Amino acid sequence: MLKARYTNTDIRVDQCVVRVQFTSNKFKFEVQPAFENADGSFDYPSTVGETWKTTKPREEISATKECSDRTSKNSRHFARMARSWKNANGVVMGGLLIDTLVHRFFSTADEHDSAGTGSFGLMARDFFEFLKDEPDKDYYLALGSHQRVKVKRVSKRRPRKPSNFATKRSPMKVSLLQTRSGERSSALQYP
């Protein structure tokens, strides 16, 4: 039914998930069957371990909304920008990990809470400084739910410090954390 309606859309099954990748706007939706528990969490099948896993998306959504409201939506916009950079630079990192890192960044300092989009260069500089100072971890605790979010690849190589980042006024791309080759990086690329 989906393929008949969206003929130019990449629709495929990946384990228990139906993935819908819209080519016109780069949005991707993943749909997975889940069963709600009495506490508001959801169980979903995992074909990797042939077990059931639990997720708490409402708590994560609530924490995301609270942070977005507190930061004049800067955290939401910055997380979207980070996803764009991740996709453009081949970074191996899930969306929940990006949300968690952005949430942690905005929780450590408030100077970017009400900054305008013209200050996103400074914000990115400070975000990468924050990431550089983070210890290598196998996982983070997700915003809101405090469930483990796995870091897919860990490398001991530290990202280079983005020097003179704040003085550049041109558009930029930033490579987040890890490339597909597994190296950690915060290299800046100017068009």
Side-chain angles (χ1 to χ4, degrees):
M1 181 160 95
L2 284 173
K3 285 187 178 188
R5 172 74 169 99
Y6 300 102
T7 56
N8 295 328
T9 301
D10 181 23
I11 301 171
R12 65 178 70 182
V13 175
D14 183 8
Q15 295 181 0
C16 290
V17 177
V18 175
R19 187 181 67 172
V20 180
Q21 177 78 50
F22 291 96
T23 55
S24 61
N25 58 15
K26 305 285 183 188
F27 278 109
K28 175 177 70 174
F29 294 92
E30 295 180 340
V31 182
Q32 180 170 21
F35 302 93
E36 187 170 9
N37 298 313
D39 65 357
S41 66
F42 293 86
D43 288 340
Y44 64 95
S46 169
T47 58
V48 175
E50 296 182 6
T51 61
W52 290 86
K53 292 189 174 187
T54 301
T55 185
K56 301 174 182 177
R58 290 182 178 136
E59 294 173 22
E60 293 157 5
I61 291 168
S62 177
T64 300
K65 183 178 179 344
E66 178 276 323
C67 187
S68 180
D69 291 348
R70 182 178 49 78
T71 64
S72 306
K73 297 187 181 177
N74 281 344
S75 63
R76 187 176 122 221
H77 295 307
F78 196 79
R80 282 185 179 173
M81 191 168 64
R83 279 178 171 76
S84 250
W85 290 333
K86 171 191 86 99
N87 293 336
N89 291 287
V91 177
V92 181
M93 172 188 289
L96 184 55
L97 181 56
I98 289 174
D99 291 342
T100 298
L101 291 169
V102 168
H103 183 266
R104 287 172 56 91
F105 168 69
F106 278 96
S107 296
T108 61
D110 59 1
E111 63 263 19
H112 300 297
D113 286 0
S114 59
T117 55
S119 299
F120 269 38
L122 292 170
M123 196 179 303
R125 179 205 62 194
D126 293 348
F127 179 69
F128 281 100
E129 188 68 27
F130 164 81
L131 290 180
K132 181 181 76 75
D133 293 338
E134 281 287 290
D136 285 337
K137 296 183 177 187
D138 293 328
Y139 67 90
Y140 282 85
L141 297 179
L143 68 162
S145 70
H146 305 290
Q147 296 188 126
R148 288 183 178 201
V149 180
K150 186 177 179 185
V151 176
K152 293 180 181 171
R153 291 189 182 140
V154 177
S155 171
K156 295 297 180 191
R157 182 175 170 215
R158 303 304 269 173
R160 292 174 297 207
K161 183 176 180 182
S163 61
N164 77 350
F165 184 71
T167 61
K168 300 286 185 184
R169 295 287 181 214
S170 63
M172 70 213 67
K173 294 181 182 177
V174 179
S175 181
L176 291 174
L177 280 185
Q178 299 150 0
T179 63
R180 286 203 172 108
S181 66
E183 297 176 344
R184 287 182 74 163
S185 173
S186 63
L188 304 178
Q189 302 164 356
Y190 295 92

